[in-house]
Structures are given as C-alpha cells and as structure tokens.
C-alpha cells in the first residue's frame, strides 16, 4: 500500500525524492544499470530491502568499507539473489506474525542477465513459484559484462562476445536469446513486465504496480552496457529507445494473466539494423557475405513481436 | 538439580526434529534428502499442525536452502535446517558465506556417503568435506547426543563471543533410522535454555540501513578472515560453558571430547559417532582380558581441541585412528588432526584405518582385529601400513 497521496508523476516531483542509490559508486560512466536502479527506487514508497546477485552493480556499489546504498542491501552469491530475498521476506513474515515488526515493507531482488537467465534461473523460478511477495528486477545488458563480456542466454543472436567471438568460421553467437519475461509470465506470477529506462514514466509505474501486486513479480529492464555493446558512453538512453522502437525490447506487462503491450510503434517501427548499427558487437553483421545474419535477426524480432501481439489479442483486456 | 525428563523410544531423526520443535526457530528453509528427509517431514507436520510458529521455506534445492537461511538469518531471526551428503555438497558454496557473514544458523547433518558411486548410507565424507567451511562441528554418537547437541547448538552459535554457524552430525541410518531409548527435556526448559535471539544489525531494521556482502579486496580481506579465526578460538570455552549449564539442566555431562577407559590406556582407538558404541563394548572385553585399551571420541571437531587431545593421548603406546571418510591422496581426515595434536609430544605410535564407507558395518570382530593390531604395534613400536582400508574385499 502506498503511504503517500497519489500525485501526478512529474520529473519535478521525482527530483525531490532522495536518491537511494547515491553517486560515488564505481559503475562505468554511461552504464545503464545505475540509471535503471535509480528509477526503480524512485517508485518505492515503503521501507525496502534489496538483494543483489554478484555482478557489476554489486561489486561497484559496495566496495568495502564503502557503500552507495541508502537502504538495507544484501549480496551473498551469484546465483541466489531470489533465494536470499525469499529468506529475508520469510523472516519478515515470521517476525511480523509475532508482532516484532509492525510496518509494511517491500523486497526487491536484483540480478543482471547472467545471474537471472542463467546461473540464477533455478533460484528465481523456485522463489516465484513459492509465491514470496517480492519483486525480481533483471537489469539486462545481454552478456556477462562484469567478467569481461562473455555470452549469456540473454545475448542476442550474432553478437560478438569474448566467448562467442565473431570468428572466420563462427560469426558471433549462433543462438537466439531466451525470452525470460515470457517464461516468468508462465510462472503465473502476479505481475510480469518489460521496461526501458528511456521511458521512465512507464518504468516507474510498472515498479509501483509490481510492488503493489499480491504476490511475486518480475521485471526485465534493458540496461545498455557501452563496454560490451561497443558504443558511446552517451548512448544508453538512445539505444534503449531504439531497442523498443525496433520491437527488440517491447514494453509490455502481464497482470493476472492479462497481456498488454504498453507501446506499439506501428508504422514508426524501426528496422533492427538501426539498433544494431551503432553497436560494435554487431559490426560483422554489416560485412559483405553476412547479410543473412541481418535477415535472420530481423525475422526473429518480427516473429517475436507478432506472437506478442497475438498474446495480447488472445489474453488482453 | 536435573529437571524431570521423559524417557522415549525414538529414532535419531525424530529426536532432532523434536529438538527443533522445542527450539521453535523463526524460519526453517529446507530441502529433503535421504537420510535427513524425515527431519524435514516431521518438522513440516509441526508447522502445519500449529505446534511451532516457524515459517518454513520449501525451497527447490539445498543451494537455495542455505541461501534463504543466510537471507533469513541476516534479516534478523533464528534459522535452522537439516541436510545430508549431496545436499551438503550443493550447499558448499553458501556454507562459507554463512560463516563469513557470521550468521548463527544451526543445522543437523545426517551423515551420508558422497557420490560416486551413488550410495545413501552413512559415512562421514559430507561432514569432513565441509570441515574447513568455518562452521562449528559437534558430532553425536546416538540419538540422545544428537538431541542434546541440537538443543545446545543455538546457544553456542549465538553466543556473542562466537556468532558462527554450527552443525550437529549424526550417523545416517545407523542413528537416524534406529529406535533408541532416550530422554527429552520438557518444552519449557528447552525454551528457557535457548532463550531469545537478537541479531546484530538486522537487515529488517530499515531505519538503520546496512549493506551486507561487500566486495572486499586484498586491503581488507585478511582482516575479515582473521576475525573469523579469532571467533573460532573462543568457541571451545563457549562449548564447555554451555555444556556445563546443560549438564545442570539435564544431568548429562558433555566434554569437548569423550574418553572411555583412557586414563591408563596403552592401546587407544579414536573414533567419531556411532562406531564408538561398538568400540566401547569391545574395550570392555579386552579390559577383562587384562589389556589396557581405551577410546577417545571427539565431539567438537571444529574447532579441533589439539592441546587437550594431545595431552589425553600422549601417554598411550599405540593409537589407531578410525576414519569413516577418506582424504584421497592423504591420510584419513581425523588421523591428520590426531597426528597434529600429538606433534608436540614424544607420544605414541600412530596408524590409520579407513572403515565403514557407504554404510558398511563395523562389527565387534572388526574392532577386535583393530585392537589386536594396536596391541601388536604397542609391543613392537612398528606399523606395517600407516593408512589401510579394513573390512574390504581385496
């Protein structure tokens, strides 16, 4: 339950809120992850406890003896942000039942795509199935950036990473990415959504909905990494927007089984090459002889977008 | 004055579950695994019948069990769980994090062999495998000891000089599934004995936000580990004090290790857990024949009481260390501790037998052979083979 009066959300009103993730952390300049997290925390009204999987955000925000977090925050390992949060949330219920805690609180587990799609997948799936009232946030930059840009199951087709380098025989990642948001929706969570930091209003509204939902919730949020994507340090917001406009990263939500696409670019839908072109990790896709890769990428994006629209048609409002 | 107790006939698992019921932890995250499953099942019944007000988390793996235990303990309450073998192995990564964060989680480990080959029966490879993870280890010979150790576990782990996780070991099947006669303490006595727990810097204190789990680089890492080492050094005294207090309550006295007819013994066997019962019987028979045989049974294995064990064994002529686990390429894990304990002393001749792996029985006649060989070693001062597997096909 929100403890404050609902007012129209404006940048001006948000600017009066205290930043719960402070400056002075050690994330790379232009990184998408802290932008995402600051937006997420702007949505929080109740006292909140965070857990964080091992990764860029974790190592860069809490380097002993300093911390950039103004809220209780816990990291324990790479693959268990959800399980750790489930323990905290359960202790909260146990102590509340005994009257040792009175106040309403929120619990947010955070992981990168490595800690969420791959090594932490089981822990996440288990926690969501058990129904803990917590929000899981995946900031998705599409590779293991913390350890030096290795492929993950969130890495897009064709991308050049340090473990699927664009070589003479194998031109980057051969596989398409896993669609985790849909997999989480298939867990019948109370709320699942995709968001992007370029649309802060949509992102913050979704976090509010997720925290208010009566049960577990999941949000996948695109978070450009200029080191891994091989782009400029001022590209994060522009590339987030392009990903949405090209329908690579559609903004949608699944609320109690109802599918809603929050933004449909319609005739302004951009070709995927507009999103790929500024990123050095896809440079080889534009080399002569690799036209098939661009085509294959576009076909994949189109197919996903069409099937998402069908889900909205079938299970929308 | 020992309090009124009730004599019952129960399995080891039942005894541990009963201790957990009486302790009534705030949160129990658990995943079933043979032979500890029974503890989790019985505790689930307590929860669903309202006999405890614990919140259980029925996790999808032991890795998540320990992860959730870590989150719950840091959040600010009392947390317990139970496991065995592969479950312990899957928890392994998180065990070091529980102790590194100084979280007083307590856990029953129903000892079982590790794969491969797959085997569900009792040996100590799981407990020995995790011995360097920074957890306190108490080992138990029978259901009574497992129950008593479990009741003492939170008091030891949560002591302000300690604040470390603790594990209580009991032998899979031999103890976990056998019915024995033992005594329970009354509920209110256990409740009073374990008392209330207050976590330091609980995460749920949102008015005073704390970050737990920082990245610590070479400039500070060693200081953290040194602090853990210092805490471990204080465990022995806390175990002695808590055990003394428990003796007043129960009439059952526990030391950091048990000695059996050791005072004047010339030939000594060292063994953990259930095998000690069989060995004690055989020692009696050899004593009747005029052979000065004795036993030392460690209870507190981590931290290991080197000085006291060394002093207790130094006057023997020959000591055979019986290990129910192997450290492949090394001696048995307990042998290495006993050798270290005896290093400052001129001491007895030492040798090592590996027995009982994967639940193989140790029969009285097997013990007799070991005692006979120890007598021979005491006489000649010579050891044929320092480390040898016994009761095994050639």
């Amino acid at each position: 339950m929100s403890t404050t009066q609902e007012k129209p959300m404006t940048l001006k009103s948000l600017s009066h809120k205290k930043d719960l993730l402070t400056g002075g952390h050690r994330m790379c300049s232009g990184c998408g992850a802290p932008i995402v997290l600051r937006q997420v925390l702007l949505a929080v009204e109740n006292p909140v406890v965070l857990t964080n999987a091992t990764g860029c955000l974790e190592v860069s925000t809490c380097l002993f003896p300093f911390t950039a977090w103004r809220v209780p925050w816990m990291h324990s390992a790479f693959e268990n942000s959800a399980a750790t949060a489930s323990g905290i949330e359960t202790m909260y219920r146990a102590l509340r039942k005994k009257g040792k805690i009175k106040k309403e609180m929120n619990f947010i587990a955070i992981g990168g795509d490595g800690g969420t799609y791959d090594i932490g997948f089981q822990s996440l799936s288990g926690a969501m199935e058990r129904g803990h009232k917590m929000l899981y946030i995946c900031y998705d930059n599409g590779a293991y950036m913390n350890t030096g840009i290795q492929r993950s199951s969130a890495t897009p087709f064709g991308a050049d990473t340090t473990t699927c380098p664009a070589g003479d025989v194998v031109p980057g990642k051969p596989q398409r990415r896993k669609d985790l948001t849909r997999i989480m929706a298939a867990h019948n969570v109370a709320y699942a959504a995709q968001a992007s930091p370029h649309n802060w209003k949509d992102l913050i509204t979704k976090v509010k909905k997720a925290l208010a939902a009566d049960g577990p919730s999941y949000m996948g949020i695109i978070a450009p990494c200029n080191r891994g994507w091989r782009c400029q340090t001022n590209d994060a917001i522009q590339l987030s927007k392009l990903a949405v406009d090209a329908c690579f990263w559609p903004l949608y939500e699944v609320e109690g089984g109802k599918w809603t696409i929050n933004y449909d670019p319609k005739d302004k839908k951009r070709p995927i090459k507009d999103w790929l072109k500024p990123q050095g990790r896809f440079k080889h896709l534009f080399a002569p002889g690799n036209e098939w890769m661009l085509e294959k990428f576009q076909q994949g994006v189109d197919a996903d977008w069409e099937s998402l629209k069908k889900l909205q048609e079938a299970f929308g409002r | 004055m020992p309090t009124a107790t009730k004599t019952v006939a129960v399995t080891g698992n039942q005894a541990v579950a009963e201790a957990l019921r009486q302790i009534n932890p705030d949160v129990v995250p658990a995943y079933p695994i043979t032979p500890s499953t029974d503890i989790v099942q019985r505790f689930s019944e307590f929860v669903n019948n309202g006999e405890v007000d614990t919140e259980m988390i029925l996790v999808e793996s032991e890795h998540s069990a320990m992860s959730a235990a870590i989150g719950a303990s840091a959040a600010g309450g009392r947390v317990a769980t139970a496991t065995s073998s592969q479950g312990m192995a899957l928890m392994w990564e998180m065990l070091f994090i529980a102790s590194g964060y100084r979280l007083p989680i307590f856990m029953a480990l129903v000892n079982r062999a590790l794969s491969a080959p797959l085997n569900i029966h009792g040996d100590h490879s799981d407990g020995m495998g995790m011995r360097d993870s920074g957890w306190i280890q108490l080992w138990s010979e029978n259901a009574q000891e497992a129950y008593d150790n479990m009741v003492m576990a939170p008091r030891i782990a949560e002591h302000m000089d300690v604040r470390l996780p603790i594990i209580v070991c009991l032998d899979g099947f031999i103890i976990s599934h056998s019915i024995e006669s033992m005594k329970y303490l009354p509920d209110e006595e256990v409740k009073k004995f374990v008392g209330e727990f207050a976590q330091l810097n609980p995460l749920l204190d949102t008015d005073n936000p704390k970050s737990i789990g920082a990245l610590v680089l070479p400039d500070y890492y060693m200081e953290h580990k040194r602090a853990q080492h210092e805490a471990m050094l204080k465990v022995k005294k806390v175990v002695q004090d808590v055990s003394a207090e428990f003796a007043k309550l129960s009439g059952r006295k526990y030391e950091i290790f048990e000695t059996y007819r050791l005072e004047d013994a010339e030939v000594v066997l060292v063994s953990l857990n259930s095998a000690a019962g069989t060995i004690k019987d055989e020692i009696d028979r050899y004593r009747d024949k005029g052979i000065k045989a004795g036993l030392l049974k460690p209870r507190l294995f981590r931290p290991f009481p080197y000085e006291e064990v060394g002093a207790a064994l130094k006057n023997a002529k020959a000591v055979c260390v019986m290990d129910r686990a192997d450290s492949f390429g090394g001696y048995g894990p307990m042998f290495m501790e006993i050798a270290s304990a005896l290093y400052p002393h001129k001491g007895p001749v030492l040798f090592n037998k590996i027995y009982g792996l994967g639940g193989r029985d140790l029969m009285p006649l097997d013990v007799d052979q070991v005692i006979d060989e120890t007598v021979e070693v005491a006489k000649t001062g010579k050891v044929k083979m320092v480390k040898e597997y016994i009761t095994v096909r050639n």
Side-chain angles (χ1 to χ4, degrees):
Chain A
M1 282 294 160
S2 171
T3 52
T4 56
Q5 285 273 306
E6 286 299 329
K7 284 182 214 145
M9 189 167 35
T10 61
L11 280 176
K12 193 178 172 189
S13 67
L14 291 174
S15 72
H16 295 306
K17 284 199 78 170
K18 189 173 168 182
D19 253 330
L20 300 179
L21 171 59
T22 70
H25 57 70
R26 292 163 167 83
M27 298 294 272
C28 301
S29 71
C31 172
I35 304 173
V36 165
L37 261 297
R38 286 176 60 218
Q39 290 187 14
V40 167
L41 292 172
L42 281 174
V44 175
E45 303 287 349
N46 291 324
V48 65
V49 180
L50 309 179
T51 63
N52 203 159
T54 310
C56 291
L57 184 72
E58 174 264 320
V59 298
S60 305
T61 54
C62 192
L63 179 56
F64 190 87
F66 304 106
T67 182
W69 300 96
R70 285 192 176 128
V71 287
W73 174 93
M74 184 177 197
H75 153 258
S76 71
F78 188 11
E79 68 278 54
N80 64 357
S81 187
T84 307
S86 79
I88 298 169
E89 186 264 354
T90 306
M91 184 57 81
Y92 166 72
R93 280 189 283 113
L95 298 181
R96 203 160 182 213
K97 187 170 70 180
K98 291 174 186 169
K100 292 182 180 175
I101 290 179
K102 303 264 190 285
K103 57 190 169 190
E104 194 78 32
M105 287 169 68
N106 291 133
F107 301 91
I108 302 179
I110 308 160
D113 50 287
T116 305
Y117 285 62
D118 292 343
I119 199 167
F121 183 56
Q122 174 182 322
S123 160
L124 169 62
S125 177
M128 295 288 110
E129 182 271 336
R130 292 193 298 273
H132 300 278
K133 195 172 164 350
M134 59 186 254
L135 165 60
Y136 191 99
I137 298 269
C138 174
Y139 70 97
D140 187 338
N141 51 29
Y144 303 134
M145 301 309 186
N146 188 43
T147 43
I149 319 162
Q150 292 86 27
R151 65 90 85 184
S152 77
S153 63
T155 302
F157 166 75
D160 175 40
T161 74
T162 54
T163 49
C164 56
D168 293 336
V169 179
V170 182
K173 191 188 174 197
Q175 302 87 2
R176 292 182 57 193
R177 63 195 305 282
K178 193 194 267 180
D179 193 338
L180 192 64
T181 309
R182 288 200 206 178
I183 295 169
M184 295 327 294
H187 281 64
N188 295 317
V189 291
Y191 185 80
Q194 277 191 182
S196 158
H198 86 277
N199 191 339
W200 55 268
K201 210 166 205 170
D202 176 76
L203 190 153
I204 294 172
T205 305
K206 283 174 174 169
V207 174
K208 283 180 188 289
K209 279 188 184 180
L211 292 176
D214 187 23
S217 49
Y218 172 86
M219 281 181 66
I221 307 179
I222 194 165
C225 163
N226 54 64
R227 295 284 303 120
W229 292 18
R230 302 283 181 232
C231 59
Q232 300 304 307
T233 51
N234 58 356
D235 279 348
I237 298 303
Q238 190 57 28
L239 283 177
S240 305
K241 184 173 186 310
L242 273 169
V244 172
D245 287 342
C247 298
F248 170 81
W249 192 263
L251 303 184
Y252 70 97
E253 61 192 340
V254 187
E255 237 180 320
K258 293 219 164 64
W259 292 64
T260 310
I261 296 172
N262 309 106
Y263 172 71
D264 183 345
K266 295 187 177 148
D267 54 349
K268 287 184 184 146
K269 180 169 178 252
R270 302 280 289 265
I272 195 64
K273 65 178 173 48
D274 289 3
W275 182 65
L276 301 176
K277 189 83 186 176
Q279 302 183 50
R281 61 175 173 159
F282 297 116
K283 196 175 157 197
H284 56 290
L285 270 63
F286 295 88
N290 280 345
E291 294 80 3
W292 67 274
M293 293 183 79
L294 282 177
E295 273 166 42
K296 190 172 169 182
F297 204 126
Q298 185 69 63
Q299 281 163 9
V301 169
D302 292 346
D304 287 349
W305 175 240
E306 288 309 314
S307 83
L308 183 64
K309 285 203 285 193
K310 280 186 187 136
L311 281 166
Q312 179 178 241
E313 267 167 49
F315 305 112
R317 284 170 200 283
Chain B
M1 187 65 181
T3 179
T5 51
K6 181 167 68 166
T7 302
V8 289
V10 293
T11 65
N13 277 344
Q14 232 174 319
V16 170
E18 179 67 3
L20 286 175
R21 183 190 66 76
Q22 294 179 316
I23 295 166
N24 191 14
D26 296 304
V27 172
V28 169
Y31 191 81
I33 181 168
T34 307
S36 65
T37 309
D38 194 28
I39 297 174
V40 177
Q41 286 176 347
R42 285 176 190 278
F43 197 77
S44 304
E45 279 182 34
F46 296 147
V47 171
N48 284 9
N49 292 328
E51 292 177 63
V52 289
D53 43 23
T54 307
E55 289 289 332
M56 262 191 115
I57 316 178
L58 299 167
V59 284
E60 83 298 333
S61 72
E62 286 89 354
H63 193 283
S64 285
M66 190 44 61
S67 299
I70 286 167
S73 178
R78 201 169 251 161
V79 181
T81 186
T83 195
S84 294
S85 179
Q86 305 306 116
M88 162 82 8
L90 189 54
M91 279 183 187
W92 198 83
E93 179 195 26
M94 300 316 299
L95 296 175
F96 288 73
I97 295 173
S99 61
Y101 290 174
R102 307 286 300 274
L103 301 172
I105 299 160
F106 50 104
M107 168 158 62
L109 177 65
V110 183
N111 297 112
R112 164 185 151 184
L114 283 168
S115 285
L118 176 63
N119 177 294
I120 56 165
H121 290 274
D123 75 29
H124 301 158
S125 42
D126 49 7
M128 289 301 165
M130 60 80 75
R131 71 177 190 267
D132 297 337
S133 63
W135 285 57
I136 300 162
Q137 284 192 344
L138 293 179
W139 293 71
S140 332
E141 183 177 327
N142 49 38
Q144 183 74 66
E145 287 192 20
Y147 169 84
D148 291 346
N149 280 335
M150 210 64 202
V151 171
M152 284 182 259
R155 284 288 307 278
I156 296 163
E158 293 164 6
H159 193 284
M160 277 310 294
D161 288 349
V162 175
R163 292 281 159 151
L164 286 169
I166 187 168
I167 198 155
V168 172
C169 299
L170 59 151
D171 282 348
F173 289 104
I174 299 167
I175 300 304
S176 69
H177 285 61
S178 308
I179 293 177
E180 289 178 71
S181 165
M182 58 161 288
K183 287 180 164 69
Y184 285 152
L185 291 166
D187 288 1
E188 61 276 16
E189 292 296 337
V190 174
K191 192 178 172 189
K192 211 158 62 183
F193 183 78
V194 298
E196 286 280 314
F197 168 60
Q199 180 59 290
L200 282 175
N201 301 319
L203 268 180
L204 293 174
D205 177 10
T206 50
D207 296 332
N208 299 288
K210 299 285 186 309
S211 292
I212 299 179
L215 169 66
V216 184
L217 294 176
D219 54 350
Y220 280 108
Y221 183 85
M222 260 187 98
E223 282 70 21
H224 283 73
K225 292 290 132 183
R226 166 69 182 267
Q228 232 178 299
H229 160 70
E230 297 282 347
M232 264 293 187
L233 292 180
K234 293 177 183 162
V235 171
K236 185 172 71 189
K237 171 136 197 327
V238 172
V239 172
Q240 286 167 329
D241 291 350
V242 170
S243 302
E245 201 184 315
F246 184 82
K248 275 188 214 146
L249 175 69
S250 66
R252 293 185 292 276
K253 203 164 163 14
Y254 292 98
E255 306 292 344
I256 46 179
F257 54 84
E258 183 186 333
T259 58
Y260 188 76
R261 306 187 85 162
L262 188 68
E263 193 83 328
D264 62 337
E266 291 174 354
V267 295
V268 176
L269 269 55
V270 179
S271 165
L272 286 167
N273 280 15
S274 65
T278 314
I279 294 170
K280 284 175 192 169
D281 278 354
E282 293 315 288
I283 283 172
D284 287 345
R285 291 186 352 100
Y286 276 77
R287 282 278 177 176
D288 291 347
K289 291 194 279 182
I291 290 163
K292 290 182 172 173
L295 168 77
L296 187 145
K297 183 191 77 173
R299 171 176 174 240
L300 179 66
F301 194 82
R302 277 292 178 272
F304 195 83
Y306 293 100
E307 279 179 33
E308 293 82 351
V309 168
L313 293 177
K314 68 174 192 225
N315 296 324
K317 287 183 177 163
V319 173
C320 178
V321 181
M322 309 271 288
D323 267 296
R324 199 167 201 146
D326 197 357
S327 169
F328 299 99
Y331 294 120
M334 195 161 61
F335 179 87
M336 295 192 266
E337 304 302 355
I338 301 299
S340 300
L342 282 168
Y343 179 74
H345 304 285
K346 195 156 168 272
V349 185
L350 274 179
F351 63 114
N352 188 198
K353 298 293 182 199
I354 309 290
Y355 78 99
L357 301 187
R360 179 151 303 180
D361 281 331
L362 183 75
M363 305 302 282
L365 278 177
D366 304 324
V367 175
D368 293 354
Q369 279 184 16
V370 173
I371 297 176
D372 288 343
E373 190 179 333
T374 314
V375 168
E376 189 62 24
V377 169
K379 229 179 261 171
T380 62
K382 286 198 175 70
V383 169
K384 275 182 285 179
M385 203 189 290
V386 179
K387 171 185 165 185
E388 187 186 27
Y389 274 58
I390 59 168
T391 70
V392 69
R393 291 178 186 85
N394 279 316

